[in-house]
Amino acid sequence: MNIDQKIFIAGSNGMVGSAIKRVLIKKVNDNYYDDEKLLCPNREELNLLDFEAVKSWFSIKKPNTVIVAAAKVGGINANNTKPYEFIYENLVIQNNIIESSRLFGVKKLLFLGSSCIYPKICKQPIKEEYLLENSLEPTNQWYAIAKIAGLKLCEALNREYGLDFISLMPCNLYGVGDSYDLNTSHVIPALINKFYNAKIKNLSKVTCWGTGKPLREFLYVDDLAEACVFCLENLEISDNNAPINSLFKKLSWLNVGSGSEITIKKLSEKIADIIGYKGDVHWDSTMPDGTPRKLLDISKIKSLGWEPKIKLEEGLRLAIDDFERNFYKVNNL
């Protein structure tokens, strides 16, 4: 990648896409990239569900590098209640972008997946080669299957056409620009919303889903954005130093995580403490826990020179500040 590249960020207004855009704009300020060559169309400008529209846009804009951060995302409740939308829309979006990239000669593509692609019951920490070794977590299998398909599509294009299309599989993400809607959000933004509102309204009790026992790994979104740009600059599958699996075959996807985990219960206590909520917490065990544990093995991406920088408590404070400024105050004026 260099200043002559035209970089298309699909999903540039979402949490991940906007973080990647921030990192690239900083590179612009360091005289590394040309911001006029950062292509960030919104939904009105480019409907990613329309293949003909996507093809036409590629033929006109001619990006050299593509980052697929666009996706339909949500937590357990959203996945459970909208299974068709989660599998169909994600398949269509990623297929349209990846196939258009192939047709119009994109030199490098980075596809973003999720750690939910790995089996529900899996050896820990989870290595890249554990993919498809066992069955998926039922509550988010629809999203996971779409992401597995995207990963395999990129792998197949690399194998058949020699295209440098790579994928990153991050753990649970959070941070600035997250969705705090309790009906669709992931665990950290949902807990922030619940505890913040409980403090403001002087509620004596907050109810959280599940048992609180599952272990989860969390990565601040800016760390993922840095990993994306790092891999675009430093990882080529054809290189001799490209990561390999235990069978000595080159990997087209890498895990990205923080390398540490915490129970949902301890996470809730940490968020409540930062917010200053002093009431009781009730755990509704009739609601699903999801996968019992998901800790990624990030040794392969670390061997290339990338490491996470933002610790959980620092990231939570940044996320809580974002919630207060950009969600709570906006919705309670």
Side-chain angles (χ1 to χ4, degrees):
M1 291 174 66
N2 54 56
I3 200 167
D4 296 322
Q5 294 287 334
K6 293 176 72 175
I7 306 169
F8 170 35
I9 308 174
S12 61
N13 291 325
M15 178 177 69
V16 175
S18 59
I20 295 170
K21 185 178 178 181
R22 287 196 299 272
V23 171
L24 288 171
I25 287 174
K26 183 177 183 299
K27 299 280 190 180
V28 170
N29 295 335
D30 293 338
N31 298 316
Y32 198 76
Y33 294 121
D34 180 349
D35 62 354
E36 292 183 0
K37 294 179 180 176
L38 288 182
L39 308 176
C40 303
N42 58 35
R43 290 182 182 180
E44 287 70 34
E45 296 167 325
L46 178 59
N47 180 6
L48 296 174
L49 292 167
D50 183 338
F51 182 50
E52 293 304 320
V54 175
K55 278 203 306 180
S56 176
W57 186 90
F58 267 77
S59 70
I60 296 167
K61 299 296 184 179
K62 297 180 171 58
N64 310 101
T65 299
V66 172
I67 302 169
V68 188
K72 183 176 180 63
V73 297
I76 287 178
N77 183 56
N79 274 270
N80 261 340
T81 56
K82 300 288 185 180
Y84 176 76
E85 285 83 351
F86 269 82
I87 191 168
Y88 174 76
E89 290 187 23
N90 281 302
L91 284 171
V92 172
I93 289 169
Q94 65 201 35
N95 288 354
N96 288 349
I97 297 169
I98 293 170
E99 173 62 358
S100 295
S101 297
R102 182 188 74 84
L103 290 173
F104 292 96
V106 167
K107 300 300 181 184
K108 190 138 194 172
L109 180 143
L110 186 144
F111 172 74
L112 283 164
S114 165
S115 61
C116 71
I117 66 167
Y118 294 111
K120 177 178 180 177
I121 306 300
C122 196
K123 291 173 285 187
Q124 305 285 326
I126 302 170
K127 297 180 183 292
E128 286 86 351
E129 50 262 45
Y130 295 167
L131 180 68
L132 301 177
E133 280 193 347
N134 210 325
S135 57
L136 298 167
E137 160 58 43
T139 58
N140 62 10
Q141 62 181 312
W142 322 102
Y143 181 75
I145 288 170
K147 288 301 179 180
I148 292 169
L151 177 159
K152 286 297 182 180
L153 189 59
C154 291
E155 184 182 26
L157 285 168
N158 173 262
R159 182 177 298 185
E160 185 173 344
Y161 292 92
L163 299 181
D164 196 19
F165 287 14
I166 59 177
S167 303
L168 294 183
M169 300 297 122
C171 65
N172 296 61
L173 301 170
Y174 71 102
V176 172
D178 212 337
S179 168
Y180 298 96
D181 185 333
L182 290 177
N183 294 315
T184 59
S185 62
H186 290 99
V187 59
I188 284 182
L191 290 173
I192 289 173
N193 192 338
K194 286 186 176 184
F195 285 119
Y196 194 94
N197 275 285
K199 179 188 176 182
I200 295 298
K201 297 174 182 177
N202 292 314
L203 301 180
S204 61
K205 183 178 74 172
V206 168
T207 298
C208 298
W209 278 23
T211 64
K213 295 178 181 179
L215 286 158
R216 287 292 181 272
E217 177 184 14
F218 296 97
L219 184 70
Y220 191 73
V221 69
D222 285 32
D223 272 340
L224 173 63
E226 294 281 357
C228 291
V229 176
F230 175 87
C231 286
L232 286 170
E233 294 173 337
N234 296 282
L235 174 61
E236 290 190 16
I237 301 172
S238 59
D239 280 358
N240 291 330
N241 68 340
I244 57 174
N245 62 22
S246 58
L247 300 176
F248 303 101
K249 293 183 178 180
K250 290 184 178 180
L251 282 165
S252 63
W253 74 95
L254 296 177
N255 292 335
V256 187
S258 63
S260 61
E261 58 188 347
I262 185 172
T263 66
I264 300 300
K265 184 177 181 181
K266 286 190 179 296
L267 173 70
S268 70
E269 292 169 354
K270 192 177 288 287
I271 291 173
D273 181 63
I274 294 171
I275 289 174
Y277 175 70
K278 304 297 184 182
D280 295 328
V281 178
H282 169 70
W283 292 92
D284 183 359
S285 59
T286 65
M287 304 306 289
D289 268 336
T291 302
R293 188 185 182 201
K294 284 196 299 183
L295 177 65
L296 295 177
D297 183 322
I298 58 171
S299 59
K300 290 182 174 64
I301 192 170
K302 288 178 71 176
S303 71
L304 295 174
W306 174 86
E307 288 197 36
K309 297 175 182 177
I310 300 172
K311 301 297 184 183
L312 181 61
E313 183 155 336
E314 177 189 356
L316 289 175
R317 291 184 184 278
L318 292 170
I320 291 166
D321 181 62
D322 176 60
F323 169 81
E324 183 178 33
R325 288 184 294 107
N326 298 314
F327 185 87
Y328 185 83
K329 287 184 177 178
V330 170
N331 289 282
N332 289 276
L333 291 177

